[in-house]
Amino acid sequence: MTSPPSAAPIGTLLLTGAAGTLGRVLAPALRPHCQRLLLSDLPAAMDLLAPAEGTETRPCDLADAAAVQRLLRGVDAVVHLGGVSVEKPFEPILQANIRGLYHLYEAARLAGTRRVVFASSNHVTGCYAQGERISPADPPRPDGYYGLSKLFGEGLASLYFDRYGVESVCLRIGTATPEPPDRRGLATWISHRDLAALVRASLTAPGVGFLVAYGMSGNARGWWDTGAAWAKLGFQPQDSSEPWADRLAHVHPPEGSAAARLQGGVFLDIGPFDDGTAAA
Ligand code: NAI
Ligand code: 15L
């Protein structure tokens, strides 16, 4: 007997960075919403993936253009988490986040992929002062090569919609941890439950075109204007950092340091690298 047709709104969904921290959170949350879920990560990371019913594994290095083209064949939508996820010297960021993202969008264009949900980051605007209210319309102020690579990704997403019709939602995710870790997290935290709902909304909202949205829970102390983008996505958070406010108010880097003053937090303590690659 053949099984009845699935009512899942998404056909074949590719999750990159599936073996990473958020990949392992999002895979089970996305599985019921697609007909087929492909889990991809670096070959060396595939052991971290727990096999689950209805999923298929696809090892792939995003730096390998031909492999990424094979990966995207038949894919309707992508949740793109793969890449370097912290501040690092330029070279690894160039390979995974800049070249890798170019390979992904080129492959999406060739495959006719409908939509990419791109895990951008709050570090695109990490040099704004903590407490300053900003929106996706404000000028970017990346706080390092990592944030800069996410800004490149947003530019690429814009280009591939305007020229080739590949839709993108770029989520400037805040701090996606089980609980907010410190005072900054009272503004930046997004619960795993809210993140999963935001990603699902980003995959299914009609006619998003190219959209940038901050990703946080319903934090009373948040810094980011989320109204217009969340309305377009039909997203409403269920969680808030407020229950941790008293406990975390005094958990922060030394007052006056860049990490305490600027929205990017401890990423401002990393670099310059002086690793010689600029002169090579
Ligand atoms: P993670 O570092 O745990 O996972 C990233 C995954 O990408 C890893 O499994 C890694 O093996 C894979 N990867 C790295 N280079 C690759 C390459 N060349 N080819 C294929 N795969 C590669 O990061 P996490 O925390 O799960 O974050 C997921 C995404 O969300 C990242 O893009 C990160 O920048 C973004 N993000 C995460 C936030 C958070 O709070 N965790 C906040 C803002 C953005
Ligand atoms: C990010 O973009 C990082 O991937 C994650 O490790 C956190 O540091 C997060 O931002 C944050 O700003 O808290």
Side-chain angles (χ1 to χ4, degrees):
M1 201 176 105
T2 54
S3 41
S6 164
I10 307 158
T12 298
L13 176 64
L14 169 67
L15 179 64
T16 68
T21 309
L22 298 187
R24 281 175 284 152
V25 168
L26 289 177
L30 295 174
R31 176 64 200 100
H33 301 274
C34 57
Q35 290 163 21
R36 205 166 148 236
L37 181 59
L38 309 182
L39 303 177
S40 184
D41 207 299
L42 286 169
M46 295 307 280
D47 287 352
L48 294 169
L49 283 175
E53 202 184 326
T55 64
E56 298 167 37
T57 51
R58 295 280 190 277
C60 177
D61 186 340
L62 294 160
D64 179 344
V68 178
Q69 283 188 19
R70 288 192 295 275
L71 179 68
L72 268 282
R73 272 186 211 140
V75 167
D76 298 302
V78 183
V79 175
H80 181 59
L81 306 179
V84 173
S85 62
V86 290
E87 179 60 351
K88 287 248 170 96
F90 186 68
E91 198 54 36
I93 298 222
L94 174 65
Q95 293 306 327
N97 294 19
I98 296 181
R99 284 192 202 288
L101 201 68
Y102 163 66
H103 295 158
L104 185 97
Y105 271 91
E106 262 302 275
R109 176 183 70 79
L110 291 166
T113 300
R114 176 180 65 81
R115 188 175 296 182
V116 177
V117 177
F118 168 50
S120 184
S121 171
N122 71 91
H123 293 280
V124 168
T125 47
C127 279
Y128 281 93
Q130 293 193 12
E132 186 171 354
R133 285 200 67 82
I134 55 172
S135 88
D138 284 308
R141 295 181 69 181
D143 57 29
Y145 301 130
Y146 167 72
L148 185 62
S149 75
K150 296 295 187 180
L151 178 59
F152 171 82
E154 292 182 3
L156 202 61
S158 171
L159 169 67
Y160 273 71
F161 175 64
D162 284 338
R163 293 287 306 274
Y164 310 122
V166 180
E167 290 194 301
S168 283
V169 179
C170 302
L171 296 176
R172 288 184 184 169
I173 302 168
T175 303
T177 43
E179 295 184 0
D182 51 17
R183 183 180 68 183
R184 170 178 174 270
L186 296 174
T188 62
W189 183 62
I190 180 165
S191 69
H192 287 167
R193 171 166 69 167
D194 283 341
L195 179 67
L198 180 59
V199 170
R200 279 195 300 265
S202 301
L203 283 166
T204 55
V208 291
F210 164 76
L211 184 70
V212 175
Y214 282 95
M216 63 175 206
S217 281
N219 304 331
R221 295 156 202 255
W223 306 318
W224 306 321
D225 180 351
T226 53
W230 286 4
K232 195 149 190 187
L233 296 174
F235 169 70
Q236 285 187 323
Q238 296 188 56
D239 298 311
S240 156
S241 63
E242 211 47 28
W244 286 271
D246 289 343
R247 203 185 319 159
L248 296 178
H250 303 290
V251 181
H252 54 79
E255 287 296 8
S257 65
R261 281 187 296 109
L262 302 180
Q263 294 196 5
V266 293
F267 277 33
L268 274 302
D269 285 340
I270 311 172
F273 295 99
D274 299 328
D275 59 350
T277 52

